[in-house]
Amino acid sequence: MIRLARISVCIVAMTIQPASAQRLPWFGVDPLVADALGALRETDHWIATAIKPFHPPTVIEGRDDGAAIPSFDPTQHLRYRLVDMRPGTPRAVFLLLAWHSISGNGPSPGVIMQQVVTAAGRRWHIACEFRDYGLSLTLLDRRSHGWRHFRVASGEYGWRPATFTPDAPLPGGAPEGAMECVPLVLTEFPP
Amino acid sequence: MMATAAVFRAALALSLAIPPAAAQRLPWSSIDPKAAVALRAFRQTDHWVAEALEDNYDGERLGRHTEERRSYNFDPASDLRYRVVGMRQGAPPAVFLLFEWSPVRGNARPLASSCRKS
């Protein structure tokens, strides 16, 4: 009995940390965002081709230091945002590829990845492509088909049902519930 | 007169800068740049994990998933956990990098390394 008590006291002492200890969670990219990026990479979209990694790293000809062309690195070049665009649907994933190799000194290209729930399971669908400078995106109060309008550097966007999924042509067209974002007001840029 | 014009201009600038009440401005998220720099520095080393990160496990597919199998290549978006921590006052923060990535982890606990700017 005493032995049992001693063991349990020992266990309690080991599990409870001293008052001044501080427990921190690890940080990482939201798994839904990582999944959306993986789905984008599977497509034939020009961005997917542009962010395709080199293996082994390609060395620039004629450079003695053997400088390699850098591959796309999500830790440095990816901006993202999970947004509730319509209640009752999975959150849309905004991906912005803020990488000089593809954006130059203009706004960076980005896509919205929509997760469509079908009878066969969840599928990713590219809702549209846009451009932004990576500072902020604005959600507007207006909605079409229940989907919230938004504004980025390349303009203000509304929504309509999608008829096809870009760069992943399917025999039956876009899955039911797939949406497409369309520019409504083009903003002139650079200002 | 000049003052009125200036006030008017300031009010105009303000009204342009503030979106209407219903609009919502969201910043973009990203991985902490300190963690990104630390990872890049770590990848330059001869540490065995750093060398493993560069390996290609996917053949021609290079990081693309297929229906049969997901990509095994290191993808910081899904395989990296990190934390930037002030370990000692006055010193630059340390960056904890955790590789939750099966080629270096197997089914054991993930591997961690801590980098400090020096």
Side-chain angles (χ1 to χ4, degrees):
Chain A
M1 195 61 192
I2 293 169
R3 199 171 152 214
L4 196 70
R6 202 181 286 159
I7 289 170
S8 52
V9 164
C10 186
I11 289 171
V12 168
M14 280 168 75
T15 28
I16 299 176
Q17 297 182 319
S20 59
Q22 196 185 353
R23 189 169 271 195
L24 304 173
W26 287 95
F27 288 162
V29 174
D30 190 291
L32 198 62
V33 175
D35 209 31
L37 180 66
L40 173 66
R41 284 192 152 131
E42 280 175 69
T43 68
D44 296 327
H45 195 278
W46 73 269
I47 293 178
T49 312
I51 64 174
K52 196 177 161 177
F54 301 107
H55 255 291
T58 314
V59 174
I60 301 169
E61 293 277 339
R63 278 190 63 162
D64 300 335
D65 55 359
I69 299 173
S71 289
F72 171 77
D73 175 5
T75 60
Q76 300 171 61
H77 310 129
L78 180 70
R79 306 279 175 279
Y80 59 89
R81 191 80 211 197
L82 282 166
V83 185
D84 245 325
M85 297 305 271
R86 186 194 160 170
T89 55
R91 286 177 295 173
V93 182
F94 282 65
L95 298 175
L96 187 73
L97 296 305
W99 186 34
H100 288 301
S101 299
I102 52 174
S103 50
N105 57 0
S108 309
V111 289
I112 298 179
M113 301 297 289
Q114 183 203 351
Q115 208 177 25
V116 187
V117 185
T118 62
R122 285 164 182 254
R123 277 216 352 236
W124 287 101
H125 160 82
I126 301 175
C128 70
E129 190 186 322
F130 61 88
R131 289 197 174 243
D132 194 55
Y133 289 103
L135 297 173
S136 65
L137 64 99
T138 308
L139 300 182
L140 304 168
D141 195 34
R142 289 179 289 280
R143 286 171 190 268
S144 38
H145 301 277
W147 286 69
R148 216 168 161 177
H149 291 197
F150 63 93
R151 188 167 56 228
V152 285
S154 54
E156 186 182 321
Y157 290 73
W159 296 86
R160 67 180 175 205
T163 48
F164 69 100
T165 291
D167 301 295
L170 298 162
E176 199 171 330
M179 297 297 286
E180 180 187 8
C181 29
V182 281
L184 300 175
V185 185
L186 282 172
T187 308
E188 279 187 28
F189 64 88
Chain B
M1 196 61 200
M2 282 282 279
T4 320
V7 166
F8 181 73
R9 217 175 298 146
L12 183 71
L14 207 63
S15 68
L16 282 170
I18 299 175
Q24 194 186 351
R25 189 168 271 194
L26 304 173
W28 288 94
S29 310
S30 70
I31 291 175
D32 188 325
K34 285 199 182 79
V37 169
L39 177 68
R40 201 169 45 182
F42 177 68
R43 291 180 100 153
Q44 310 306 314
T45 67
D46 295 334
H47 192 281
W48 72 270
V49 174
E51 282 174 357
L53 295 183
E54 304 311 319
D55 286 343
N56 178 26
Y57 299 83
D58 292 343
E60 286 291 301
R61 296 182 302 115
L62 287 176
R64 283 171 88 134
H65 304 314
T66 59
E67 282 183 11
E68 296 87 55
R69 161 166 111 68
R70 291 181 68 82
S71 158
Y72 285 154
N73 281 3
F74 178 68
D75 173 18
S78 45
D79 307 323
L80 178 72
R81 302 284 172 275
Y82 64 90
R83 189 81 207 203
V84 180
V85 187
M87 298 303 274
R88 187 188 145 183
Q89 286 189 338
V95 180
F96 285 67
L97 300 172
L98 183 74
F99 301 97
E100 282 202 309
W101 183 49
S102 55
V104 292
R105 173 189 176 184
N107 54 3
R109 268 185 298 182
L111 266 161
S113 84
S114 164
C115 287
R116 200 168 58 83
K117 205 172 179 180
S118 54

